[in-house]
Amino acid sequence: MGNYIDIFHKKLLETKAIVTIAILVLINIVVYHPTLGNQFIDKWDDQWQIINAYTISDWNWQYISHLFRYSFHGQYSPLNQLLYCTIYQICGLNPSAFHCVSLAIHILNTILIYKIISHILFKKSKYDNQKCNNIAFITSLLFAVHPLQVESVAWMSASKILLSSFFYILACYFFVFYIEARKTLHYIGSIICFLLAYLSKEQAVTLPLMLTVLTLIYKGWKVDRTFFLQITPFFILALLMGCFFVFETKNNSINTLTSSATYTWWQRIIFASYALTEYICKAIIPYNLRFKYYYPLSPTELTPLWLFFYPLLITTIIYSFRNIFKKPIIVIGTAIFLIHLILVLHIIPIDRQHIIADRYMYLSIIGIALPFAYYGITFYHQLNSKKFKYALISLFLLAITSLSFESFERTQKWNNSNTIYNDIFIPNKSLKPKL
């Protein structure tokens, strides 16, 4: 009898997971389906990222070899370029086909995030399966529909972020299975996915840091010899990848306006604080979202006093809430948030003309969504009154509906070059780009 109950319980959990995934897929389609009618943004990178000689050339070994050995316009994403080539071979330069693939990858990423979070929570948290499922669902739902995600989904040139994130999350998934079962095949799968993520976008080099966090979660935040043995190969690979990218792209600048390299080290620290504050605020309340966020001052200008407020604010928050930052879920969320932003915070000079970008938050948003979902579910189960529970659910549904509607509206601003140009925020007219 006990076996039948266990089988029934397992089937019930599987059914709930399938229903949850179906809901996530449906919501993604409803929110982002306007992108299927969008055109290429042919005045903002799509004209060279997609419509290029690589995409429209016939496939041959010389072409593929060149694609993987050299960077293109200061970027290295050969696997993403192969994706464009494949779509072109099947559908030609049909924008709808390209956008359909981007949306499909985003949906897959949403499902993977739901699966890996629910799996880890069930294994390592004190909550039962239902609570773990709810936390994972809310986290992945916020990841899916947050307005900051629109740029990555609606802008075809940002598809490398989606593709790289897919293999990145998959590498984490395989690594979790390796930690649990110690099967070499899972470890090899994680390394292969790491390589594929890097070949999709170079920022995947941060994966070893994320795997470090996952390992510490499973080891109870203890470090031993096994920890170093299983993590070190990933760090070595990341170092080799980083060196290749630096040497390959050092003479292929894509900068057309300015970059953080033209500012002093202390200005870059200020910019990092400014960027962190903006990312956090826009994640909590997605206000004034734009395609371009230029530097608040040019390299020749004196740094205004108001910018010094940002490092002071970050320092004050960390000190004032230092005890809260010691809580495991906050530590994990903060780590996820920072790991996926560390390369674009300008502490390390980067050759980009904008100080922040919505697409840089694609994976970092998980670091904010996860603690929110965790404490939201915890608070919900602590409520004794059904009225308060219904009120909390209503408030959550209102927030999700609002975020979804905002994302739905923003997808239409990416319809073509003219609609997105009208959306650009340019605080300094001297830096205004010419179309």
Side-chain angles (χ1 to χ4, degrees):
M1 186 67 180
N3 290 334
Y4 287 109
I5 294 175
D6 290 340
I7 293 172
F8 175 77
H9 182 65
K10 184 178 180 181
K11 291 291 183 181
L12 182 62
L13 293 177
E14 290 175 353
T15 302
K16 286 182 178 179
I18 292 171
V19 171
T20 301
I21 290 172
I23 292 171
L24 290 171
V25 172
L26 180 62
I27 291 174
N28 266 302
I29 293 173
V30 170
V31 171
Y32 293 107
H33 80 270
T35 61
L36 303 181
N38 289 357
Q39 304 301 308
F40 292 128
I41 310 298
D42 54 13
K43 293 181 180 178
W44 296 101
D45 292 1
D46 282 3
Q47 77 279 9
W48 61 266
Q49 289 262 25
I50 302 168
I51 310 170
N52 57 47
Y54 284 122
T55 301
I56 62 177
S57 296
D58 293 329
W59 287 30
N60 56 66
W61 285 112
Q62 183 180 1
Y63 152 80
I64 295 175
S65 174
H66 190 277
L67 188 62
F68 279 83
R69 285 189 295 125
Y70 301 105
S71 62
F72 185 59
H73 281 244
Q75 299 192 33
Y76 186 72
S77 52
L79 198 61
N80 186 66
Q81 181 59 59
L82 278 180
L83 176 65
Y84 294 155
C85 298
T86 304
I87 299 171
Y88 173 78
Q89 293 296 324
I90 298 172
C91 304
L93 288 174
N94 181 354
S96 295
F98 283 80
H99 286 297
C100 184
V101 171
S102 283
L103 177 54
I105 298 172
H106 179 63
I107 290 173
L108 288 174
N109 290 341
T110 304
I111 295 170
L112 281 174
I113 288 167
Y114 163 73
K115 293 291 290 181
I116 193 171
I117 291 177
S118 60
H119 179 85
I120 294 174
L121 284 172
F122 183 69
K123 292 286 185 179
K124 302 305 296 182
S125 77
K126 61 183 179 181
Y127 287 153
D128 59 32
N129 198 289
Q130 183 60 47
K131 291 180 182 177
C132 293
N133 183 77
N134 290 340
I135 293 170
F137 171 69
I138 293 173
T139 304
S140 53
L141 181 59
L142 288 171
F143 167 84
V145 304
H146 198 285
L148 283 172
Q149 307 293 57
V150 173
E151 182 173 306
S152 298
V153 181
W155 187 25
M156 200 59 225
S157 287
S159 62
K160 53 184 174 288
I161 293 175
L162 303 175
L163 188 62
S164 179
S165 297
F166 171 74
F167 291 115
Y168 189 105
I169 302 166
L170 207 55
C172 292
Y173 212 173
F174 275 118
F175 195 78
V176 165
F177 287 145
Y178 168 74
I179 295 173
E180 293 176 355
R182 297 291 173 182
K183 291 185 178 180
T184 306
L185 190 62
H186 291 152
Y187 192 83
I188 294 173
S190 186
I191 290 179
I192 291 173
C193 288
F194 182 24
L195 290 170
L196 294 174
Y198 172 74
L199 292 173
S200 302
K201 185 168 178 59
E202 67 280 352
Q203 288 175 354
V205 294
T206 60
L207 179 68
L209 296 175
M210 191 62 232
L211 298 185
T212 299
V213 173
L214 292 174
T215 305
L216 290 174
I217 291 172
Y218 271 84
K219 286 184 173 292
W221 304 97
K222 296 178 181 179
V223 177
D224 56 18
R225 183 172 175 271
T226 306
F227 166 82
F228 290 105
L229 288 175
Q230 62 191 23
I231 286 293
T232 300
F234 287 92
F235 277 100
I236 293 173
L237 269 176
L239 179 61
L240 294 174
M241 292 171 178
C243 288
F244 172 80
F245 177 76
V246 170
F247 287 122
E248 172 54 31
T249 61
K250 64 180 179 180
N251 295 320
N252 295 318
S253 174
I254 63 170
N255 178 38
T256 57
L257 296 174
T258 186
S259 76
S260 58
T262 59
Y263 295 93
T264 63
W265 66 268
W266 59 269
Q267 284 178 315
R268 292 200 300 273
I269 292 175
I270 292 175
F271 289 156
S273 303
Y274 173 89
L276 276 176
T277 305
E278 286 291 300
Y279 283 130
I280 294 170
C281 291
K282 290 182 185 298
I284 298 172
I285 305 175
Y287 68 98
N288 197 28
L289 301 184
R290 300 289 179 181
F291 176 40
K292 295 284 186 180
Y293 306 86
Y294 291 107
Y295 287 85
L297 72 156
S298 67
T300 58
E301 289 182 298
L302 292 175
T303 306
L305 289 177
W306 64 267
L307 275 175
F308 289 90
F309 165 78
Y310 289 96
L312 180 62
L313 175 64
I314 294 293
T315 304
T316 302
I317 290 174
I318 293 173
Y319 179 78
S320 300
F321 298 97
R322 59 190 181 278
N323 291 328
I324 294 177
F325 281 104
K326 293 178 182 178
K327 296 181 180 295
I329 195 66
I330 300 297
V331 172
I332 294 168
T334 303
I336 294 172
F337 178 73
L338 292 177
I339 285 170
H340 302 107
L341 284 177
I342 192 170
L343 295 179
V344 293
L345 286 179
H346 308 283
I347 297 174
I348 302 171
I350 58 173
D351 194 15
R352 294 292 185 273
Q353 64 188 43
H354 41 260
I355 190 166
I356 64 172
D358 292 357
R359 61 188 178 276
Y360 294 158
M361 278 289 287
Y362 188 71
L363 289 178
S364 288
I365 197 73
I366 302 169
I368 293 177
L370 179 58
F372 172 83
Y374 185 90
Y375 284 115
I377 292 298
T378 301
F379 180 66
Y380 173 83
H381 285 284
Q382 288 175 346
L383 294 174
N384 295 321
S385 171
K386 286 187 176 181
K387 290 183 179 180
F388 286 136
K389 286 187 175 182
Y390 290 145
L392 186 62
I393 292 173
S394 299
L395 187 62
F396 171 73
L397 291 175
L398 180 64
I400 287 296
T401 302
S402 178
L403 291 174
S404 300
F405 182 76
E406 175 64 19
S407 293
F408 178 86
E409 288 289 305
R410 280 200 63 74
T411 60
Q412 298 168 69
K413 293 183 179 180
W414 285 89
N415 182 263
N416 56 60
S417 296
N418 292 328
T419 55
I420 198 59
Y421 181 68
N422 294 333
D423 193 55
I424 294 174
F425 174 66
I426 306 174
N428 188 335
K429 294 181 179 180
S430 64
L431 296 179
K432 183 175 180 179
K434 297 179 179 180
L435 290 180

